[in-house]
């Protein structure tokens, strides 16, 4: 089973890297950019076909390592 975990900053948390990317895009002449927030994407292969078990494993991985849950949200998608 495959999964995608997306980690993003919570609303209200400053995103200096996103601001830097936004500024760089504007300096390159890319128009219409009103804001950029950056995040992380993890594509993970699991050795189980049990969806409940996979979700539990991924939640544990996010809580322990992949996301700083004080300032980040995460979303798990099983494929």
């Amino acid at each position: 089973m495959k999964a995608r975990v997306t980690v993003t900053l919570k609303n209200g948390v400053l995103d200096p890297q996103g601001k830097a990317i936004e500024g760089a895009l504007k300096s390159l002449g890319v128009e219409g950019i009103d804001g950029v927030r950056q995040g992380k994407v993890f594509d993970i292969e699991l050795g189980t076909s049990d969806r409940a078990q996979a979700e539990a494993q991924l939640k544990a991985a996010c809580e322990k390592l992949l996301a700083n849950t004080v300032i980040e949200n995460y979303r798990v998608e099983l494929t």
Side-chain angles (χ1 to χ4, degrees), residues 33-53:
I33 303 295
D34 290 333
V36 175
R37 305 267 301 163
Q38 67 89 33
K40 301 175 275 192
V41 174
F42 301 93
D43 289 328
I44 300 172
E45 292 187 32
L46 299 152
T48 182
S49 59
D50 182 322
R51 291 183 72 82
Q53 182 183 13

Side-chain angles (χ1 to χ4, degrees), residues 53-67 74 76:
Q53 182 183 13
E55 287 178 352
Q57 288 175 329
L58 291 167
K59 182 178 182 211
C62 289
E63 297 284 333
K64 292 178 183 176
L65 177 67
L66 301 180
Y74 63 88
V76 174

Side-chain angles (χ1 to χ4, degrees), residues 2-77:
K2 294 183 180 183
R4 175 165 284 176
V5 176
T6 304
V7 180
T8 56
L9 289 170
K10 291 182 177 182
N11 289 333
V13 175
L14 296 178
D15 185 358
Q17 188 172 3
K19 283 289 184 195
I21 294 167
E22 179 183 342
L25 288 169
K26 289 179 180 178
S27 72
L28 291 171
V30 179
E31 297 180 15
I33 303 295
D34 290 333
V36 175
R37 305 267 301 163
Q38 67 89 33
K40 301 175 275 192
V41 174
F42 301 93
D43 289 328
I44 300 172
E45 292 187 32
L46 299 152
T48 182
S49 59
D50 182 322
R51 291 183 72 82
Q53 182 183 13
E55 287 178 352
Q57 288 175 329
L58 291 167
K59 182 178 182 211
C62 289
E63 297 284 333
K64 292 178 183 176
L65 177 67
L66 301 180
N68 176 350
T69 56
V70 174
I71 62 170
E72 294 175 316
N73 292 317
Y74 63 88
R75 182 178 72 242
V76 174
E77 300 170 68

